[in-house]
Amino acid sequence: MSNDQPLVIFTPSGKRGHVPKGTSVLQAARSLGVDLDSVCGGRGICSKCQIAPSIGKFDKHGITVSKDALSEWNSVEKRYDSIRGLKEGRRLGCQACILDDVVLDVPAESQMHKQIVRKSLDDTHVELDPLLRIEIIELPEATLDDEIGDAERLGEAFEGLGIKIAPLPLSVLVTLQDAIAKGKDQVTVLYRQGDVDALADIIAVWPNIYEGRICGIAVDLGSTTIAAHVIDLQTGENLASGGVMNPQIRFGEDLMSRVSYAMMNDNGAKEMTQAIQEGLDHLIGEITAEAGVERWDIFDITLVGNPIMHHLLLGIDPTPLGQSPFPLATSEAINLRASELNVSIHAEGRIYILPLIAGHVGADAAAVAYATAPHQREELTLVCDVGTNAEILLGDTNSLLACSSPTGPAFEGAQISCGQRAANGTIERAEIDPITKKVRFRVIGTDKWSDDPEFNAEVTGICGSGIIELVAEMRMAGIVDGN
C-alpha cells in the first residue's frame, strides 16, 4: 500500500484500515466504525475524542510506528492544553492527522459505548482467616523510672500474649506516642502474622478501640480486563466489585503480541509495566470510592494473573516466556509492599501474589484450583476458566493436571466474522428451541429477549459467552454433532 494510504489500527476494538494521508483521527474512526466520542463537531472544545498514539515496532501488525506518524500539535490543541490540560501522551482526535502507519488507543472515557466489564462475586462461603489481626492492648502507665521506649513497652505487652513483634516500621513509630497519649495507654494494634512462630509485623496503632474499616482487595489481573473486589476483612463482606480494561491492550491484544512488543522495542517491557501498574492503581481508586472506604483502609491485596501479566506487573522481562522452554523468573509466591508496585493504599499495605504453576499456567489457575478444589473430589472433575487466555484443570483426589491456551482471539474475531468484546449491543445469551429450531437471543444493555415485542436493541456482534452458549444450544438441538 502506498504511503499516501497509511494503515491505522485502533485499540481496544482492533478495527483497522487504510485512510488517505492527512485524514484526521476522528474522521478515520468514523469511517472504520470505531467508537470514538465527539460532541463539539471537531472544534477541539469538548475533548471527548482524546486518543493515545503508541510508538514502536508492532510485529503482530507488521508495522513500526514513529513519533511522526501523527501531525504536530496545532494551535487548537495547545490552547486546550493550556486551559484544561491534556494527559501526557494524549492527542485530540479531531485535530491530530494521520501521516503514517499508526496504532491508536481509544481510552475508556473517549468511548461512546463503554466497554462492559462484568466481574461479580458469588455467594460462595469462605471461612475468614486473614493474616491481619487486631489486638486491644492496655499499656502500663509510663513512669520516670522507665528505661525503655514506648515501642519496647508495646513489645513487652505482646510478649505477655505469647507473641513476639518485629521492629516497628517508621510509619507506625511516628504515630505511636500520639496514639498512646490519646488513648490514655489503651491502643488498638493491627498486626500481620503468617505463622504462629513468626514475628508479628505491626501495621497500625490507633488510640482506644478502633471502629474503622480494615479491608483487603482481591485482584484478577487478566490479559483483557482487571477485576477487583473490596472485602471487609473483619466480616468477610464484599463491599464492592469492579473492573477496567487492561491498558496493555494498546501494545497487543494477546499475550504473545505483548511479548513480541517487548522484544522489538527497547523500552517496550517498561512501558507495559508502567501501564499495568497505573491501571491497577486507577481501579483501586475507583473501587474504594464505590465501596465507601479510603485507600488507607486497604491493608492487603491478593493478586493473581497469568505468567506474562505477573512478570510485566513486577517489571520482569517477559521475553523468555515467548519461546521454548518458557522459563519463569520465579514460580514461588511473592509478598511485597504495595508501594514497590506504585500502588497507593495504607503505608504498610502488602501485595501477595499467588505462586505460578508453569511457563504458561499461572497464579490465576492456582487460584481456581484453590477455590474449586477438584483435587479434593472423588469424581474426575474438569474446571474451565475461559478468558482471553483459558486455563483448564482436570483431576481428582489422585492427581491434578493443568494447561492453558489462548481463546480471546478466537472468540473476538480471528475466525468469527461478527466476534467482538463485550459491549452494549453484543449478543451474550442464546436459546434454540429443540423442536422448531427457532433461535432467540439477548444482548448486553437490555434484559429483553429478541422475541419480545419490546426488544429494540441494535445488535453489533457476538462475544465469547454468546458463542459458547450458542454452540451448546446447537449441540443440544441436534444442529451440530459431537465433532
Side-chain angles (χ1 to χ4, degrees):
M1 184 66 67
S2 167
N3 288 336
D4 291 335
Q5 293 281 325
L7 174 66
V8 56
I9 300 169
F10 287 93
T11 63
S13 67
K15 293 184 177 180
R16 67 188 65 198
H18 291 274
V19 298
K21 185 176 181 179
T23 301
S24 75
V25 171
L26 181 58
Q27 290 174 316
R30 287 172 173 169
S31 68
L32 295 172
V34 175
D35 192 12
L36 181 61
D37 205 357
S38 178
V39 297
C40 71
R43 292 177 294 161
I45 298 173
C46 70
S47 81
K48 299 288 187 182
C49 64
Q50 290 185 34
I51 50 90
S54 298
I55 310 300
K57 187 172 183 180
F58 295 83
D59 190 53
K60 177 182 178 180
H61 306 307
I63 63 172
T64 299
V65 181
S66 71
K67 62 181 180 180
D68 301 320
L70 296 182
S71 60
E72 295 183 359
W73 277 46
N74 62 18
S75 57
V76 175
E77 287 178 292
K78 291 177 182 177
R79 184 184 70 246
Y80 181 88
D81 186 48
S82 65
I83 297 173
R84 299 179 63 183
L86 276 172
K87 291 183 180 179
E88 184 178 355
R90 294 280 183 90
R91 297 290 302 273
L92 295 181
C94 62
Q95 303 300 314
C97 295
I98 300 166
L99 304 180
D100 205 346
D101 295 345
V102 66
V103 176
L104 301 170
D105 182 56
V106 181
E109 58 268 32
S110 297
Q111 298 171 21
M112 287 183 288
H113 304 97
K114 307 306 180 188
Q115 189 78 32
I116 305 299
V117 181
R118 290 183 173 173
K119 300 294 179 180
S120 60
L121 191 65
D122 63 26
D123 295 326
T124 301
H125 174 71
V126 176
E127 184 177 345
L128 199 62
D129 186 23
L131 296 180
L132 290 174
R133 304 180 187 280
I134 276 187
E135 200 71 53
I136 298 174
I137 300 292
E138 293 279 356
L139 293 171
E141 185 177 353
T143 68
L144 287 173
D145 296 326
D146 286 336
E147 295 180 353
I148 60 175
D150 286 338
E152 290 69 36
R153 286 204 298 141
L154 184 65
E156 289 183 350
F158 264 89
E159 285 186 7
L161 301 173
I163 301 172
K164 290 186 177 182
I165 67 172
L168 269 59
L170 183 59
S171 64
V172 175
L173 195 57
V174 296
T175 65
L176 179 61
Q177 290 186 307
D178 184 56
I180 293 173
K182 288 181 177 177
K184 297 180 179 179
D185 295 319
Q186 183 188 67
V187 291
T188 299
V189 181
L190 178 68
Y191 66 98
R192 180 186 286 106
Q193 187 177 28
D195 298 318
V196 175
D197 298 329
L199 294 178
D201 293 312
I202 304 300
I203 306 302
V205 179
W206 298 285
N208 297 314
I209 298 175
Y210 180 68
E211 297 180 350
R213 295 274 199 183
I214 296 173
C215 298
I217 298 181
V219 178
D220 180 3
L221 190 62
S223 308
T224 302
T225 59
I226 311 173
H229 309 278
V230 179
I231 307 296
D232 187 316
L233 295 179
Q234 294 174 286
T235 67
E237 179 186 1
N238 178 36
L239 302 178
S241 298
V244 296
M245 296 294 291
N246 187 327
Q248 290 180 340
I249 286 176
R250 67 178 182 268
F251 303 106
E253 295 190 14
D254 57 79
L255 296 175
M256 287 300 101
S257 294
R258 294 178 204 176
V259 171
S260 177
Y261 185 83
M263 295 174 65
M264 299 299 179
N265 297 275
D266 290 341
N267 293 314
K270 290 182 179 179
E271 289 180 72
M272 289 186 282
T273 293
Q274 181 180 351
I276 196 61
Q277 289 181 358
E278 290 177 351
L280 177 59
D281 190 60
H282 174 74
L283 175 58
I284 288 172
E286 285 190 348
I287 200 171
T288 51
E290 181 182 341
V293 300
E294 302 293 342
R295 280 179 177 263
W296 51 84
D297 293 327
I298 306 298
F299 296 90
D300 261 345
I301 294 175
T302 298
L303 186 144
V304 301
N306 62 59
I308 291 175
M309 290 299 96
H310 170 282
H311 281 35
L312 285 172
L313 175 70
L314 295 172
I316 299 172
D317 181 12
T319 55
L321 290 169
Q323 54 192 356
S324 180
F326 314 110
L328 297 165
T330 178
S331 59
E332 295 293 322
I334 293 178
N335 197 341
L336 68 168
R337 293 181 182 276
S339 58
E340 294 181 73
L341 297 185
N342 300 309
V343 172
S344 298
I345 55 175
H346 188 273
E348 294 302 317
R350 299 294 180 89
I351 295 181
Y352 175 78
I353 304 176
L354 269 67
L356 305 177
I357 297 175
H360 281 283
V361 185
D364 47 358
V368 170
Y370 184 77
T372 59
H375 57 289
Q376 296 178 2
R377 299 170 184 259
E378 293 295 334
E379 66 275 15
L380 191 62
T381 302
L382 181 71
V383 183
C384 300
D385 177 9
V386 182
T388 304
N389 202 58
E391 289 77 36
I392 300 176
L393 305 174
L394 177 68
D396 54 21
T397 53
N398 295 315
S399 64
L400 183 63
L401 304 175
C403 65
S404 71
S405 176
T407 49
F411 287 142
E412 292 162 5
Q415 297 296 330
I416 308 296
S417 62
C418 298
Q420 67 173 68
R421 293 198 185 97
N424 284 328
T426 308
I427 295 173
E428 64 167 345
R429 297 288 311 278
E431 290 183 353
I432 300 177
D433 188 295
I435 305 299
T436 65
K437 314 302 183 191
K438 185 176 180 180
V439 181
R440 70 173 191 155
F441 58 85
R442 200 169 76 186
V443 302
I444 295 174
T446 177
D447 59 358
K448 305 292 184 183
W449 287 84
S450 59
D451 58 355
D452 191 307
E454 297 182 9
F455 179 85
N456 61 356
E458 178 185 356
V459 182
T460 60
I462 184 168
C463 62
S465 59
I467 293 170
I468 291 173
E469 189 152 305
L470 187 59
V471 171
E473 287 287 318
M474 288 193 290
R475 179 71 179 95
M476 291 188 291
I479 298 172
V480 296
D481 61 18
N483 294 323

